[in-house]
Amino acid sequence: MNKDKINGYVDTVKGKAKEHWGKLTDDRSTETEGKVDQTKGKLQEEVGKVKDRLSR
């Protein structure tokens, strides 16, 4: 597991938490930021997977 995959996973989890917090507090901007963080995290995880495949 490389650094990109770990950072991506952290961003995804952080984004989910932020999205849920935005829903609980009825704050659309926080909810949207959470969704953006999740997307960014998933993308970074995929980059890490590609790097793993290329390094083999």
Side-chain angles (χ1 to χ4, degrees), residues 5-55:
K5 287 170 67 175
I6 293 169
N7 288 339
Y9 179 75
V10 169
D11 283 342
T12 302
V13 171
K14 181 178 75 172
K16 285 181 183 181
K18 196 182 281 189
E19 180 184 1
H20 287 294
W21 180 253
K23 286 181 181 179
L24 287 172
T25 60
D26 201 30
D27 184 357
R28 290 263 187 213
S29 65
T30 302
E31 187 177 342
T32 302
E33 285 176 25
K35 290 179 181 180
V36 169
D37 286 344
Q38 286 180 62
T39 303
K40 177 182 148 191
K42 289 177 184 178
L43 181 63
Q44 194 168 11
E45 283 182 66
E46 291 302 317
V47 167
K49 289 178 184 177
V50 169
K51 283 184 178 181
D52 277 347
R53 288 185 201 130
L54 291 175
S55 68

